[in-house]
Amino acid sequence: MLIRVRKPSDVASSEITPESAYLNRRAFLGAVAAGTAGVLAEGTGAAGLVRTGQQEEKLTPYEDITTYNNFYEFGTGKDDPSKNAKNFRTRPWTIAVDGHCAKPGDYQLEDFVKPYTLEDRVYRLRCVEAWSMVIPWRGFPLRNVIAKAEPTSRAKYVEFTTLVDPSQMPYQRTNILDWPYIEGLRMDEAMHDLTLLVTGLYGKDLPNQNGAPLRLIVPWKYGFKSIKSIVRIRFVEEQPVPTWVVQNPREYGFYSNVNPEVDHPRWTQRNERRIGEFRRRPTLMFNGYAEQVASLYAGMDLRKYY
């Protein structure tokens, strides 16, 4: 069977469709493959299915995506964010871009997003608790912002910071994490074509509980690397120290690549449960994106650099 490979830059804005269209049209154009082929391919399945490599997978329903979340600023239960983030204000929204770059600046969300064509991409999201989803995200490559900022030769990493506002984010009044939430990527990871800044899902604006108005998606890494409600993007020389590495360095490493061979100390990562399904399935190396990203880690001991 021949699958036509498409680059993310080939996805036209006209192909961005609402939730009903995702669920009802047979050909979902612009879907990102996540299976054995690990390439961008046309979706050719029945309603609600997308082709990922040599197989078809169901999109996770919008209701599940928006009610089963990790977002500790709004609570530690999976349904807490959808209940506690309803009144979260996402306008106006300022993103600071600074650090080792030639063109730092403070941007309003609209100005930050406006120069770029929004793309629809279907990515797997794999969480460290061994559950996963298949989500149609809407966003643009992080590399667009990086190119605009013109990082200097001293910029080896990109550090991201979440909003701190305990008046809106009630669990920031607790010490369950060391606020603000911080994450980071190596520069080549940040520049990779698969790495997205996301503004929506299922053709709609990003819901508050899913990280509105702007979040990161790095589909070959565990979900906690995909930081939500971003207010700062900083180019740094030293490796950032992410929030979960501070919280528990034994369990959470900087790279956090999906790797079935490296177990979490408290549970296996060899298999996962897709939300909405009862059966478990084998976890794929790099969450199924090995063909695209394995070369980033050539020669690295992935048990040491977990």
Side-chain angles (χ1 to χ4, degrees):
M1 179 177 64
L2 178 64
I3 298 177
R4 184 166 66 88
V5 177
R6 307 178 75 205
K7 299 178 181 179
S9 57
D10 295 334
V11 183
S13 59
S14 61
E15 295 177 358
I16 298 173
T17 53
E19 180 184 4
S20 59
Y22 280 107
L23 295 176
N24 291 305
R25 60 188 282 205
R26 291 184 60 83
F28 169 43
L29 299 178
V32 169
T36 55
V39 295
L40 286 166
E42 290 189 358
T44 57
L49 299 179
V50 291
R51 179 165 297 284
T52 58
Q54 301 300 316
Q55 60 186 336
E56 289 180 339
E57 293 196 77
K58 288 184 178 181
L59 293 174
T60 302
Y62 182 86
E63 178 70 16
D64 290 338
I65 294 170
T66 57
T67 59
Y68 196 88
N69 308 108
N70 285 333
F71 200 170
Y72 276 28
E73 285 83 348
F74 294 103
T76 57
K78 294 295 184 282
D79 61 346
D80 284 345
S82 62
K83 294 185 296 185
N84 296 332
K86 291 178 180 178
N87 298 320
F88 181 50
R89 298 184 302 276
T90 60
R91 299 293 192 282
W93 193 269
T94 302
I95 304 101
V97 178
D98 58 14
H100 296 302
C101 61
K103 295 182 178 178
D106 290 340
Y107 298 86
Q108 294 304 304
L109 179 68
E110 291 74 17
D111 296 331
F112 194 77
V113 174
K114 188 177 179 180
Y116 312 118
T117 299
L118 296 179
E119 307 172 4
D120 273 357
R121 303 189 188 183
V122 174
Y123 283 165
R124 290 193 185 106
L125 179 68
R126 171 66 159 80
C127 287
V128 73
E129 300 99 326
W131 55 268
S132 61
M133 298 182 179
V134 178
I135 301 176
W137 300 105
R138 184 187 71 191
F140 55 92
L142 171 62
R143 68 168 186 265
N144 292 353
V145 172
I146 294 175
K148 183 176 182 179
E150 297 183 9
T152 71
S153 60
R154 295 181 63 186
K156 308 300 183 185
Y157 298 87
V158 185
E159 180 185 87
F160 307 88
T161 305
T162 293
L163 176 71
V164 174
D165 187 350
S167 68
Q168 294 198 82
M169 297 171 145
Y171 277 68
Q172 286 183 340
R173 302 171 200 154
T174 74
N175 61 359
I176 56 172
L177 291 178
D178 186 14
W179 313 111
Y181 196 99
I182 291 173
E183 259 303 342
L185 296 173
R186 207 169 61 188
M187 184 62 74
D188 57 348
E189 297 175 318
M191 288 291 292
H192 196 279
D193 188 60
L194 292 182
T195 305
L196 280 188
L197 284 173
V198 168
T199 63
L201 57 83
Y202 263 123
K204 303 178 180 181
D205 285 345
L206 197 62
N208 290 348
Q209 61 268 30
N210 291 94
L214 187 73
R215 68 170 290 170
L216 183 71
I217 290 294
V218 192
W220 68 93
K221 296 180 181 287
Y222 291 112
F224 65 88
K225 292 291 289 186
S226 294
I227 187 171
K228 303 175 176 75
S229 301
I230 296 169
V231 294
R232 188 181 189 189
I233 298 174
R234 187 164 71 107
F235 298 97
V236 298
E237 190 168 8
E238 301 297 326
Q239 182 174 295
V241 183
T243 293
W244 279 106
V245 174
V246 172
Q247 183 75 9
N248 193 337
R250 177 173 173 265
E251 296 186 1
Y252 301 94
F254 174 79
Y255 285 95
S256 301
N257 291 320
V258 175
N259 185 350
E261 301 302 318
V262 178
D263 287 335
H264 187 281
R266 289 180 282 139
W267 51 73
T268 181
Q269 297 290 6
R270 292 181 180 273
N271 53 62
E272 63 192 69
R273 182 179 68 84
R274 185 68 45 79
I275 296 300
E277 298 178 356
F278 291 101
R279 67 183 179 88
R280 301 183 73 83
R281 61 179 69 206
T283 296
L284 299 175
M285 186 66 190
F286 295 114
N287 205 24
Y289 299 95
E291 183 174 331
Q292 294 105 317
V293 305
S295 61
L296 297 177
Y297 311 103
M300 291 179 62
D301 181 348
L302 297 183
R303 288 185 173 273
K304 178 179 179 181
Y305 298 103
Y306 59 92

